[in-house]
Amino acid sequence: MFFLLSLVLIGVWMTSLVRGGSHIQRSAQCDSVKDGYQCQPGISHNWGQYSPFFAVPSKISPDVPLNCKVTFAQVLSRHGARDPTASKTATYAALVKKIKDTVPPAQFKGKYAFLGGYTYTLGADQLTAFGEQEMVNSGIKFFNRYKNLAKKYPIFVRASSENRVVVSAQKFDQGYHQASVAATGTDPASYPYNILVLSEDPGINNTLNHGLCTAFETLPPFSTTGSTAQKTYLATFIDPITTRINTDLTPLSLSATETISLMDLCPFNTVANPDGAVSPFCGLFTTAEWRQYSYYQTLGKYYGYGPGNPLGPTQGVGFVNELIARLTGTGVVDHTSVNQTLDSSPVTFPVGSAHPLFADFSHDNDMTSIFGALGLYDAVPPLSNTTLEEPQDAGGYSAAWTVPFAARAYFEKLQCRGEGVESVRIIVNDRVVPLNACGGGAGKGGRCPLEKFVDSLSFARAGGKWNQCFR
């Protein structure tokens, strides 16, 4: 059964934009439009899904090949850096209180000295100023990469309805528009761009937010696979860290989960700083420990929403079928999470040669499921829950490499000289993902013919395992 999706078409005027001018906001010191976050990469690129976007190393050049032109571009983006969720911010506030109430002030010395004057002030759920700028930068980068299309065609934008996602779309639009004004010297009347907002209310069909598949949401093992994998791996590395912290801050007695929460305070305090200055919490742990932390977070995504969960990739099927429709200029064929009312209208789901530019905004969990439905990381065995695997050895998979704050996946259709058919390429955070399932390996520049690409998506076209969602 399909549920109607509440719809809001909104346009937001960005008061910080100088209309008619070419001003582009200056990037923070640690962050840039081109390469993302680059301060202390040995640490900051190992915060799992809490890492700010950074350009991931790619064996295949992400540049558009010289003999090719892009005829279609779609970005799927996570929202920018945010404060912790409401439940997590309560947990972190209680942890800081416990530390301050338990540890004598004289114990706060050396790398712990900052704790003596630290007060927990993080909010809940909303984008930080740093996260907003990430999204402005993302819009600038997308326009500049696809400016040949962007100068000719409008961009169609959708966002899932969580506030931080909608604001992320607005900030992306702001950067996109700023780059447009800088490139063309004109200020199109179409700005601010309309954003189609897809409701996250329970029971609503939304390809940018999971929630319909009741077995996945509520029934073990589907609903517990991620946390189970994390618990197993946690036992392999956390005890020495916890013991060291407790010894250094006697008579503190942190649990294993509290130690993880203490590590969480590093990325969240970093992105709470408008310039993304690395928090002193980060210095409480070694680079090796951050790699372990990142893998812990990776397991939560892989087994919670990705290929490691029997129903994880199924949650991304609806979006993949929408992508197929956009790439091929045909109607959407799907019986999972697609909203049939919206996707059957050219106003709310345009396709065809007059609409080659799209931007969708979502969450990390949903992007993980979408990557799973695309089969992007199926070429390697399931991740170990006892031994750390680096992303270079895991087919390019890690939470930090795939779904950091302000993550973005580019789906490109290219027409290349000497080739009779269009080809498809997928770039995740500046890393070209080889499309091995359709012959688009490194030797082919990560590209494969459009028809073969669509044929390779048989899992999504068949609805995944949607028939197992309702028991």
Side-chain angles (χ1 to χ4, degrees):
M1 177 180 183
F2 295 100
F3 300 87
L4 291 180
L5 182 61
S6 54
L7 163 64
V8 183
L9 283 171
I10 65 174
V12 178
W13 174 253
M14 307 303 177
T15 58
S16 64
L17 177 69
V18 181
R19 278 187 77 94
S22 60
H23 169 68
I24 294 179
Q25 293 179 339
R26 183 172 296 171
S27 299
Q29 183 177 2
C30 285
D31 202 40
S32 72
V33 171
K34 181 178 182 292
D35 296 320
Y37 194 86
Q38 294 296 331
C39 280
Q40 299 187 34
I43 293 175
S44 64
H45 295 180
N46 285 297
W47 293 338
Q49 68 274 16
Y50 302 142
S51 287
F53 162 79
F54 60 93
V56 173
S58 182
K59 292 182 179 179
I60 303 170
S61 172
D63 295 339
V64 177
L66 293 177
N67 63 331
C68 300
K69 66 176 181 178
V70 178
T71 60
F72 169 99
Q74 148 100 58
V75 60
L76 172 64
S77 173
R78 185 188 179 193
H79 57 76
R82 58 163 172 80
D83 285 321
T85 59
S87 60
K88 285 290 184 69
T89 209
T91 297
Y92 301 153
L95 173 61
V96 171
K97 184 177 187 302
K98 174 179 177 177
I99 293 172
K100 303 277 277 194
D101 289 349
T102 303
V103 181
Q107 290 288 94
F108 296 132
K109 54 189 177 183
K111 62 185 178 182
Y112 301 99
F114 76 95
L115 287 170
Y118 177 79
T119 301
Y120 186 84
T121 58
L122 301 182
D125 291 310
Q126 304 308 314
L127 289 189
T128 64
F130 175 85
E132 291 181 353
Q133 186 60 45
E134 281 190 296
M135 299 310 299
V136 172
N137 290 350
S138 181
I140 294 169
K141 184 168 183 171
F142 188 77
F143 178 91
N144 287 337
R145 180 177 179 86
Y146 302 112
K147 66 174 59 178
N148 290 339
L149 286 177
K151 289 179 180 179
K152 298 178 182 178
Y153 301 99
I155 186 170
F156 186 81
V157 184
R158 302 188 303 177
S160 204
S161 66
E162 184 82 26
N163 178 264
R164 61 180 177 267
V165 181
V166 175
V167 174
S168 290
Q170 293 167 356
K171 291 299 179 180
F172 174 95
D173 283 358
Q174 178 181 338
Y176 185 92
H177 180 65
Q178 289 175 343
S180 174
V181 171
T184 65
T186 60
D187 189 6
S190 60
Y191 183 79
Y193 313 120
N194 286 332
I195 300 173
L196 180 65
V197 177
L198 310 184
S199 174
E200 294 187 9
D201 288 345
I204 301 297
N205 282 35
N206 180 351
T207 56
L208 301 177
N209 184 67
H210 66 92
L212 291 178
C213 180
T214 54
F216 175 76
E217 302 293 338
T218 63
L219 297 181
F222 312 113
S223 62
T224 58
T225 303
S227 58
T228 298
Q230 285 186 303
K231 183 178 180 181
T232 300
Y233 182 67
L234 185 67
T236 70
F237 79 93
I238 201 66
D239 286 350
I241 305 174
T242 304
T243 298
R244 184 184 73 243
I245 299 292
N246 287 338
T247 300
D248 290 348
L249 296 178
T250 303
L252 187 63
S253 180
L254 294 183
S255 66
T257 54
E258 286 175 324
T259 300
I260 289 293
S261 292
L262 187 64
M263 299 183 83
D264 291 347
L265 288 174
C266 158
F268 279 117
N269 278 277
T270 297
V271 300
N273 183 287
D275 293 328
V278 177
S279 167
F281 276 103
C282 305
L284 301 183
F285 309 94
T286 68
T287 301
E289 289 165 352
W290 284 118
R291 289 169 51 232
Q292 293 169 320
Y293 170 88
S294 192
Y295 192 65
Y296 168 83
Q297 302 293 2
T298 291
L299 291 175
K301 297 305 172 189
Y302 183 87
Y303 285 102
Y305 297 89
N309 188 306
L311 287 180
T314 294
Q315 310 316 304
V317 161
F319 177 87
V320 174
N321 286 327
E322 289 181 327
L323 177 64
I324 291 172
R326 287 173 168 175
L327 286 168
T328 58
T330 58
V332 180
V333 179
D334 181 80
H335 64 270
T336 65
S337 59
V338 159
N339 181 279
Q340 299 295 329
T341 300
L342 294 180
D343 282 14
S344 62
S345 167
V347 175
T348 49
F349 197 84
V351 295
S353 59
H355 297 281
L357 285 173
F358 298 91
D360 287 331
F361 298 86
S362 184
H363 302 271
D364 53 344
N365 293 337
D366 303 285
M367 290 180 67
T368 300
S369 292
I370 289 166
F371 295 158
L374 288 163
L376 296 187
Y377 303 100
D378 287 352
V380 295
L383 297 183
S384 170
N385 61 6
T386 57
T387 303
L388 186 153
E389 295 183 38
E390 298 289 358
Q392 298 92 329
D393 302 321
Y397 186 85
S398 79
W401 279 32
T402 57
V403 289
F405 286 132
R408 69 287 306 257
Y410 296 160
F411 303 92
E412 298 178 341
K413 189 164 62 171
L414 303 102
Q415 182 66 63
C416 300
R417 191 179 304 118
E419 297 180 6
V421 295
E422 291 179 306
S423 58
V424 175
R425 188 167 69 156
I426 299 176
I427 303 171
V428 178
N429 301 318
D430 285 3
R431 176 182 177 268
V432 178
V433 181
L435 300 178
N436 295 308
C438 55
K444 297 290 186 179
R447 299 182 292 114
C448 62
L450 173 60
E451 183 177 357
K452 288 187 176 181
F453 175 71
V454 173
D455 287 345
S456 74
L457 300 177
S458 58
F459 175 82
R461 290 186 291 110
K465 299 179 180 178
W466 197 252
N467 61 340
Q468 298 182 27
C469 283
F470 309 101
R471 302 184 175 193

